[in-house]
Amino acid sequence: MSKLIIDGGVPLLGEIRVQGAKNSVLPILAATVIAGDKCVLHNCPRLRDVDKTDLVLERLGCTVERHGNTVIVDPDGFCSCEICDDLMRAMRSSIIFLGAIITRCGEARVSMPGGCPIGLRPIDLHLKALKELGVSIHEEHGYIICRAKKLKGTDIHLDFPSVGATENIMLASVCAEGTTTILNAAREPEIADLAAFLNAMGARITGAGSSFVTIRGVKKLSGAEYTIMPDRIVAATYLAAAAATDGEIFLTGADPSSMGAMLHVLREMGARINVSSGTIHLKSRGRLKNIHILRTMPYPGFPTDIQSPFMAMSATAEGTVVYVENIFENRFRHVDELVRMGADIKVEGRSAVVSGVKTLYGTRLVARELRGGAALVVAALGAEGTSEISGVEYIDRGYEEIEKSLADCNACIRRVQ
């Protein structure tokens, strides 16, 4: 297993090009199984989760080729409607294949999904919506068996604006008979990115990115060429690292318009930020100052995915901040490791009270999930002394060669086996 060795206390200085969005590329890859021809996807990051998604496609009979950051998927050989247990357990986002496979062959067989241990994340909203589209569902020996002779468009109201459920409904209804409307749909930019790709394939989707999405069914979809949007969570993680180290960085290939809540918090804490088309420039102005409270919310609110890296940044900011986690019930798994570095954090239920200390100290750390692992990297970069982070396989699920990007910006970081 790999480990990251970080000598902290060195300001980040330089430029980082933001990778393609993990939360966008995975459902877009799933959507390729519906295509009638090859799909060419640009700006696909090299991530463990992308590799696993490619493997799912290959197990389903598709051909997958990678050339740099371009992935070509040919669904012509599609021959299976089942995703095996080992792949479903390895990656929760594989549930997004459910709607696509049902659209392709009228049935699907998948086991219950796994992923990072940050909460229950039930899929009942997915299954309820699919039933409303005409899918019969039952469980058998740990597998979910779905069948639909004909998918029919309908009005679907989501009790919670779930990203995954919104995506599965879109994938299941693009070729359904009639029109489907999603009320209280998730509004994340990645939803709009998936819709733009499906529309490039010939779908008729309007309203994606708002709480009311309309999908007018078409008979078939064709292949398409598409460029994945930038990863706003990765971009914000690097901004947090620069702010925590009193540094200055330029992010290129970014999309500031999708990062409003995160950029607002950084400005409120004292960082100087300038944005232009595709570029974000952050310059630290000394020790940051904590704001009173931060609540994670669905988009356009403060994202749950950036809560932990920002908490690592807050650990050495002046004053006290309360983080309230409203999305996942088990997303403070990084706190014990930050406390081992000298952070003053107290957790009560879904709230964490962070009282800033002047300095964190390097030590041996263990990443237990993706964003918590990124938080440990942010903390280690700003700490005194050397940190050793294990569990890097979690970080690799969402960050493409994180050590290279940071080393290019003056960080003393290396990966060892």
Side-chain angles (χ1 to χ4, degrees):
M1 289 294 184
S2 298
K3 295 182 180 180
L4 292 176
I5 309 298
I6 301 174
D7 298 323
V10 180
L12 288 191
L13 301 167
E15 179 180 306
I16 297 176
R17 181 161 186 84
V18 179
Q19 68 188 57
K22 165 188 177 286
N23 291 338
S24 186
V25 69
L26 301 185
I28 285 176
L29 283 169
T32 62
V33 306
I34 312 173
D37 202 351
K38 289 183 180 180
C39 293
V40 181
L41 304 176
H42 302 294
N43 202 30
C44 289
R46 292 181 175 273
L47 305 171
R48 285 174 63 92
D49 274 13
V50 173
D51 291 342
K52 287 185 172 68
T53 304
D54 290 346
L55 185 56
V56 171
L57 288 168
E58 290 173 346
R59 296 271 184 92
L60 293 172
C62 303
T63 301
V64 183
E65 300 176 23
R66 178 181 279 274
H67 305 280
N69 279 342
T70 295
V71 172
I72 303 170
V73 182
D74 186 349
D76 185 59
F78 186 94
C79 59
S80 173
C81 297
E82 178 176 328
I83 301 179
C84 59
D85 182 68
D86 59 329
L87 289 175
M88 289 296 296
R89 287 180 181 274
M91 185 179 62
R92 177 179 175 79
S93 55
S94 50
I95 194 66
I96 203 63
F97 275 92
L98 200 55
I101 295 173
I102 292 171
T103 293
R104 176 67 187 255
C105 60
E107 62 180 285
R109 176 184 169 91
V110 302
S111 69
M112 294 297 288
C116 282
I118 59 173
L120 296 175
R121 301 193 284 183
I123 61 170
D124 58 313
L125 291 178
H126 302 239
L127 302 182
K128 178 183 175 183
L130 291 174
K131 286 180 180 178
E132 292 183 50
L133 289 167
V135 180
S136 66
I137 301 173
H138 71 276
E139 292 187 36
E140 181 180 291
H141 306 300
Y143 275 79
I144 303 169
I145 314 298
C146 301
R147 292 187 176 89
K149 291 183 178 179
K150 181 181 290 187
L151 292 164
K152 292 187 177 182
T154 187
D155 294 339
I156 299 174
H157 183 278
L158 292 176
D159 297 331
F160 177 84
S162 161
V163 173
T166 301
E167 292 169 339
N168 249 330
I169 295 167
M170 289 164 58
L171 292 169
S173 60
V174 284
C175 294
E177 181 181 293
T179 298
T180 300
T181 60
I182 311 173
L183 296 90
N184 197 30
R187 299 164 60 187
E188 274 72 4
E190 294 80 8
I191 298 289
D193 209 34
L194 172 61
F197 173 63
L198 290 169
N199 285 342
M201 296 166 67
R204 298 172 63 199
I205 302 173
T206 57
S210 74
S211 58
F212 187 87
V213 180
T214 302
I215 307 106
R216 294 175 176 83
V218 298
K219 290 187 177 181
K220 63 178 182 179
L221 299 181
S222 59
E225 186 169 358
Y226 192 75
T227 299
I228 307 298
M229 67 174 283
D231 196 310
R232 59 197 175 99
I233 304 301
V234 168
T237 300
Y238 290 140
L239 292 175
T245 60
D246 200 19
E248 178 178 9
I249 64 168
F250 289 85
L251 298 183
T252 60
D255 180 10
S257 68
S258 68
M259 298 175 61
M262 297 175 279
L263 296 179
H264 172 75
V265 170
L266 288 165
R267 288 189 176 109
E268 288 287 298
M269 293 181 69
R272 181 182 299 164
I273 296 176
N274 294 305
V275 302
S276 58
S277 178
T279 302
I280 303 174
H281 171 221
L282 179 143
K283 184 174 183 179
S284 182
R285 298 188 292 183
R287 190 181 181 192
L288 300 170
K289 293 184 179 181
N290 277 319
I291 61 178
H292 179 61
I293 191 166
L294 266 176
R295 295 182 175 90
T296 62
M297 299 290 288
Y299 188 86
F302 186 77
T304 181
D305 278 356
I306 201 62
Q307 172 255 106
S308 18
F310 269 46
M311 187 183 293
M313 175 182 64
S314 295
T316 53
E318 182 180 339
T320 299
V321 57
V322 179
Y323 280 81
V324 181
E325 176 54 56
N326 290 310
I327 309 299
F328 296 121
E329 72 280 1
N330 194 23
R331 201 145 208 182
F332 292 142
R333 291 170 61 86
H334 57 286
V335 168
D336 287 346
E337 300 300 288
L338 294 179
V339 169
R340 293 184 68 243
M341 301 179 76
D344 183 354
I345 307 174
K346 295 177 176 61
V347 175
E348 292 186 11
R350 290 199 174 199
S351 297
V353 181
V354 183
S355 299
V357 298
K358 287 189 175 181
T359 307
L360 296 180
Y361 299 93
T363 187
R364 291 186 175 181
L365 305 165
V366 180
R368 294 185 173 89
E369 44 90 11
L370 168 55
R371 306 303 176 185
L376 300 185
V377 173
V378 171
L381 289 168
E384 285 188 10
T386 300
S387 296
E388 177 185 294
I389 303 175
S390 58
V392 180
E393 63 273 13
Y394 285 111
I395 300 172
D396 290 341
R397 290 188 54 218
Y399 294 83
E400 183 178 36
E401 295 184 319
I402 191 171
E403 72 280 5
K404 183 179 185 303
S405 294
L406 292 169
D408 288 343
C409 287
N410 201 44
C412 294
I413 178 173
R414 64 189 187 278
R415 181 185 293 249
V416 298
Q417 296 297 322

